[in-house]
Structure formats: C-alpha cells, structure tokens
Amino acid sequence: MSQRLVRRSVLGLALGLGLGAVTGVATPAFAQTAAAKASKLDARAVAVGYSELVYANYSDSLGSARDMQKAIAALLAAPSKETLEAARKSWLDAREFYGQTEAFRFYGGPIDDENGPEGQINAWPMDESYVDYVEGKANAGFINDPKFKITKANLAKQNERGGEENIATGWHAIEFLLWGQDLSETGPGDRSFEDYVDGKRANADRRRLYLKVVTELLIDDLASVTKAWAPGQKNFRAQFDKGGVESVRKIIVGLGSLSRGELAGERMEVPLNSQDQEDEHSCFSDNTHRDMVANAMGIQNVWLGQYKRRDGSSLKVASLADLVGAKNAELSGKTSAQIASTVKATEGIQAPFDREIIGGADAPGRKRIQAAVDSATEQSKLLVQAANAIGITKLTLVQP
C-alpha cells in the first residue's frame, strides 16, 4: 500500500467508547439493531447510494486524469514554458477529484485489496533520485540509466522495490517530473521545460518517454478501479450493493481510518512532529494544503451522501447521516457539524505546507494544522459512536 501506516497492522479501534477490539481486516464482526432494521432508510439503500457516489467520483478522477494526459502529450510534443505550465495545472485540477476518492479506502476494496493498485497510484513519500536527477546527483534514476527499459510493466515492477520510498509510478512520480525537486522555501519546484528538449538536457528523450509511460499507467489503474464500481456488471459493486450492514461497516471503516490514521496521522501529525519537507504529501508542487481539503471533503461527501460532479451537477444519495439520524438525531447532527469543522480547518491551512509545519507549538501555521488534526481525530471518535448507534459494534480502523 502507499503509506507507511498501511503496512502496519490494522488495529481494532475502541477510542475509549467501550467497543470491542478486533484484528484483521477480514473479520465480519457486526450487529444490526432492530431499530435499524425497521428504519425506512435501510443499510442496503445506503450501500447502493455509496456505490453510485463512488463510481461518479472515480469517473471524474479518470476523466480529469485523461485531460492531464492530453496536456502532458502537448508538453512532450512541443516543450515550452506554456505547455509545461498547462500540464502542471492539469495535474493540480485532477488531484482535486482523486483526493476525494481516498474516502473509499482501507476496507479491502478494489483500490487497496491484496492486488489493488493504490500503492502504484498514490505512493509517497518519494525518493526522487530513484527516477531522475536531483541536486548533486546528475546521473541518478532510471531516466539516466540507458540500460533500463522504460515500459509500463517495468515501472510497475520497480515501484517500491527495495524500499517504500522507491516510488516509480503514480501521481507523485508525475508531479516530480513536472515540477522537479522543491528547493524553495516560498514556492514549489521549478523544473525547466528544457529538461524535455533534446540537446538542452541529458536524456531528454528518455525523460519524455518516462513521463508518457507513467501517465499511461496511472490512467490504466484509475480505469481499473472505476470499472470495479461500474453499475450493471459482475464486479465488486454488484456484491457490495448486496452487503447490507456489512457494507455500511466497511464504509465507516474507510471514513474513520482516513480521518484518524491517514489524514490526521500520516499526513499532518507526522510532518508536524518531524518538521521535514520529505514528510509532506505533495511536496514538489506545494499542493499539500489542497490534498488535505480534498480528503476532508471526501469524508463529508460520503457521510452526507452528496457529491459535486466534474460537470457541475450535484449527486444526492441515501446517506450515513440519515441512517444514523433515524436512530440518534443528535449524534448524527453532531457528527455532521464536526465533519464540516474539519473541512473548514483544512481550508485554513496555508501554502506552502512545508512552511506551515515549521516553528514552535505556538507558530500560526502549526496551530492551523493542529486544529485540523484535532478536528479529524474527534470526528473519527464520533464516527465510531455513529456506527454503534446503528448496531455496528466492532470496527477495524487503521490507526497512525
């Protein structure tokens, strides 16, 4: 999987709420209350609505990535400041949609089961020298190794080989190839378009090929997870829709794990503690602040059963908030408010993120990030209470 936490054992999360602890993602431990069974809005409706939302979000992520692919093709055909800037913008635009899909992780679904492509799509942090030159190492990386054949199969094979920072594929490999190392305290990386011009930089032809191939691989992987959620097919979605309370349990596992383990933990607490740019999620483009917002929005989308599509239309489906509200309206409202607070807190984090993490505990940037950590942590506790309210008494949430 892509982050360090995913390699750690998955722990049953009690969070001081008296819930039973369990180990192992596959444990099908849950219970359904009579009240939940009697509710007009049942677990199946929520599962079906969730599937619709997931498919819409993955479809938008795939569509925006294909737009990025077109912009990258234009850059490779005619490298210039303008085409490089357009490719960068397309990457940033596409990340807005992918970031929201991370609410669909952590329960062994198509994105991150044993054969899932998550680590190939979004692995980080990245050792840049594994792919291309870095400051002081002009000949580093596969791009500068003429013996290495640049193909999708080879890049996939080399991804995370020999170390979790040996990242050869995905969003962040593309990000590095568009921005280069971030050596600035005030802005992102500043790779020159001349890196892609023959005669201007060594191995420009191989760099062009690498960027082309790694983008194609990302498209393939996004297409595979989108297909797994397509309606009317014999796929993961077909089984998920029939899963009832167990599917709802998985949904809450995904939201709670992203809230505490990934968003609050790996993406904010770790860099807060280390104050190291290398622990920043999208460090080359300085887009980490938007990654946080997109993740928080993804959680809110699922909880409320809502999603704003790429074409501007709005999707509304049966929601967890309503299912919980039928049993405990006060708790549902409190959870909705806390999730909204987390979105607002992440929106308050300023760019560049690598400067927000610097300083003492009272530094304004660190306080902004800590507020988001605290809010996301609290919402994870409320999500466990929400699960308990509808009879789901045991969860397997990933912790930091």
Side-chain angles (χ1 to χ4, degrees):
M1 311 323 303
S2 68
Q3 280 75 32
R4 287 161 290 186
L5 75 94
V6 182
R7 291 189 180 80
R8 299 169 186 170
S9 56
V10 181
L11 303 176
L13 185 61
L15 292 175
L17 299 172
L19 301 182
V22 293
T23 58
V25 177
T27 304
F30 61 87
Q32 185 177 18
T33 63
K37 289 180 180 178
S39 174
K40 291 181 180 179
L41 174 64
D42 62 10
R44 179 179 171 84
V46 173
V48 169
Y50 173 85
S51 292
E52 185 179 353
L53 190 154
V54 172
Y55 180 64
N57 197 169
Y58 273 133
S59 295
D60 285 346
S61 182
L62 177 59
S64 61
R66 283 175 170 155
D67 284 349
M68 177 185 71
Q69 185 179 37
K70 293 175 183 176
I72 287 173
L75 164 67
L76 301 181
S80 69
K81 289 181 67 174
E82 291 74 22
T83 55
L84 176 57
E85 190 57 38
R88 289 172 174 171
K89 184 179 185 303
S90 70
W91 187 93
L92 295 171
D93 291 344
R95 283 293 289 180
E96 291 291 312
F97 295 100
Y98 184 79
Q100 294 174 68
T101 72
E102 295 202 83
F104 316 143
R105 292 178 51 196
F106 304 110
Y107 55 79
I111 184 68
D112 57 5
D113 62 15
E114 289 185 1
N115 299 311
E118 200 283 331
Q120 200 163 274
I121 291 174
N122 198 40
W124 71 286
M126 177 183 179
D127 177 1
E128 309 96 301
S129 65
Y130 192 61
V131 169
D132 199 5
Y133 76 87
V134 293
E135 189 175 45
K137 295 182 179 180
N139 298 314
F142 294 123
I143 285 172
N144 298 296
D145 178 5
K147 296 180 181 178
F148 179 77
K149 187 175 182 180
I150 301 172
T151 65
K152 285 190 285 188
N154 280 348
L155 297 192
K157 183 178 180 180
Q158 296 300 324
N159 191 55
E160 297 184 303
R161 185 174 184 177
E164 62 184 19
E165 295 187 2
N166 291 343
I167 294 161
T169 67
W171 287 108
H172 299 295
I174 296 170
E175 179 194 10
F176 171 55
L177 289 171
L178 293 176
W179 275 273
Q181 282 182 288
D182 181 5
L183 303 175
S184 170
E185 290 190 355
T186 58
D190 191 26
R191 184 187 289 274
S192 171
F193 73 90
E194 291 185 342
D195 277 6
Y196 295 96
V197 178
D198 291 331
K200 293 289 187 178
R201 295 288 190 274
N203 296 311
D205 57 336
R206 288 179 57 80
R207 193 168 294 110
R208 291 195 303 271
L209 179 60
Y210 198 109
L211 182 52
K212 176 180 181 292
V213 171
V214 76
T215 304
E216 290 174 351
L217 183 57
L218 176 66
I219 298 296
D220 290 349
D221 287 338
L222 291 174
S224 75
V225 292
T226 303
K227 184 178 180 181
W229 288 97
Q233 298 185 23
K234 293 181 179 180
N235 56 6
F236 180 86
R237 175 178 177 167
Q239 296 303 312
F240 189 90
D241 285 353
K242 300 174 184 176
V245 176
E246 174 62 9
S247 291
V248 172
R249 187 188 73 84
K250 289 177 178 178
I251 295 169
I252 298 174
V253 165
L255 299 189
S257 297
L258 177 58
S259 296
R260 183 64 190 103
E262 185 73 11
L263 179 57
E266 289 293 320
R267 300 193 180 188
M268 292 192 285
E269 280 183 326
V270 168
L272 267 181
N273 291 334
S274 70
Q275 300 194 35
D276 187 349
Q277 183 190 58
E278 292 303 311
D279 289 322
E280 181 186 2
H281 189 51
S282 294
C283 63
F284 312 118
S285 61
D286 275 347
N287 192 56
T288 303
H289 63 299
R290 289 304 309 173
D291 290 332
M292 305 302 105
V293 175
N295 285 175
M297 286 177 57
I299 295 166
Q300 186 178 57
N301 291 344
V302 173
W303 173 256
L304 296 178
Q306 65 183 29
Y307 173 62
K308 185 175 181 180
R309 299 223 47 181
R310 188 165 165 245
D311 62 7
S313 63
S314 295
L315 178 65
K316 188 71 177 74
V317 299
S319 72
L320 279 173
D322 290 337
L323 187 65
V324 174
K327 178 65 177 176
N328 188 329
E330 182 180 359
L331 175 60
S332 179
K334 186 176 181 181
T335 305
S336 296
Q338 190 64 53
I339 289 173
S341 294
T342 302
V343 173
K344 184 176 181 180
T346 57
E347 289 174 339
I349 298 171
Q350 298 180 14
F353 185 89
D354 55 20
R355 305 315 301 168
E356 288 279 271
I357 61 177
I358 301 300
D362 291 333
R366 290 179 62 82
K367 290 174 71 173
R368 286 188 285 267
I369 296 173
Q370 188 62 54
V373 169
D374 293 343
S375 186
T377 299
E378 180 60 26
Q379 85 183 24
S380 72
K381 297 177 183 179
L382 290 171
L383 285 165
V384 174
Q385 292 183 40
N388 196 29
I390 55 175
I392 299 171
T393 57
K394 293 182 180 179
L395 297 172
T396 52
L397 303 193
V398 174
Q399 294 204 70

